[in-house]
Amino acid sequence: MITLVTGGARSGKSSFAEGFYKDKKDVVYIATSRAEDVEMKERVKKHKKSRPDYWRTYEGTYDIAKAVEREENYILDCLTVLTSNVMFDMSGTLERIDSGLEKDIEDRIVEIIENFVKKAKDRNVVIVTNEVGSSIVPENHIARVFRDIAGRVNQRVAALCNEVYVVFCGVSLKIK
């Protein structure tokens, strides 16, 4: 079973996703954030405290399929952070991203997810992502490209999933 959980920032989507496995011990939490500053290190520490110590944590961006081992249950948190990591690794310090690079970035992210899903095909997977298209249009080019890539990646990943939930204010709604 592959499940996508989406929602805005601080909507409760990670807690909802973790709830799928609240009574399970064989869970792998795939963390995609890079703790490169004090604020992010604090966020990671807080996130770790919110889940059971006996869950295995795998930290990675590109090789998330390597996280799939003997466990039956996986949480990928979060696809949006993975998207930003890949986008900025591929675009570097460019001030403009042309449509060709934009497509390459999107395809690379989807390839990473498809490889992960193939390897975990007989297991339970919950993928957490942010809904980034429900707000104002960003004022700068790079932010608009990120929003567009994230939106299309979410659509493509949702198509791979058996179920999709959206979370608002801590309340979930099944939409697929």
Side-chain angles (χ1 to χ4, degrees):
M1 173 73 80
I2 311 295
T3 303
L4 183 67
V5 176
T6 190
R10 302 291 169 259
S11 63
K13 61 193 174 295
S14 292
S15 297
F16 176 73
E18 291 169 6
F20 278 85
Y21 305 135
K22 66 181 176 184
D23 298 323
K24 305 281 186 187
K25 293 195 186 262
D26 63 337
V27 177
V28 178
Y29 188 96
I30 303 168
T32 61
S33 67
R34 295 175 179 164
E36 296 175 345
D37 60 33
V38 174
E39 178 191 357
M40 192 52 100
K41 287 177 184 173
E42 286 300 315
R43 286 175 177 260
V44 167
K45 200 182 299 184
K46 186 176 178 182
H47 239 275
K48 283 182 178 178
K49 287 181 183 178
S50 75
R51 58 187 185 264
D53 291 337
Y54 47 83
W55 286 7
R56 183 167 65 88
T57 299
Y58 178 90
E59 295 178 0
T61 300
Y62 294 92
D63 296 326
I64 61 174
K66 287 183 179 178
V68 180
E69 291 182 5
R70 65 191 179 284
E71 296 90 352
E72 290 296 316
N73 305 293
Y74 295 81
I75 296 175
L76 171 63
D77 195 358
C78 111
L79 176 57
T80 312
V81 172
L82 185 147
T83 297
S84 67
N85 291 340
V86 172
M87 179 179 148
F88 288 110
D89 287 350
M90 289 180 69
S91 66
T93 59
L94 292 175
E95 292 184 19
R96 297 209 56 81
I97 296 174
D98 65 38
S99 60
L101 179 56
E102 188 173 335
K103 176 87 168 89
D104 290 346
I105 293 166
E106 179 183 331
D107 289 345
R108 178 67 180 125
I109 296 158
V110 172
E111 176 186 39
I112 291 167
I113 297 302
E114 286 174 340
N115 290 337
F116 168 60
V117 167
K118 280 181 201 169
K119 191 163 180 193
K121 67 179 177 176
D122 297 324
R123 296 181 173 99
N124 300 309
V125 174
V126 177
I127 300 170
V128 178
T129 192
N130 285 302
E131 170 49 53
V132 296
S134 296
S135 187
I136 61 171
V137 175
E139 101 176 67
N140 72 70
H141 170 76
I142 296 296
R144 285 190 301 275
V145 168
F146 172 75
R147 180 216 43 204
D148 294 349
I149 290 171
R152 287 190 303 270
V153 165
N154 284 347
Q155 290 178 53
R156 290 173 67 181
V157 172
L160 300 172
C161 293
N162 305 99
E163 296 181 341
V164 178
Y165 292 85
V166 65
V167 180
F168 298 102
C169 304
V171 179
S172 65
L173 175 65
K174 184 176 181 180
I175 57 175
K176 176 181 177 185

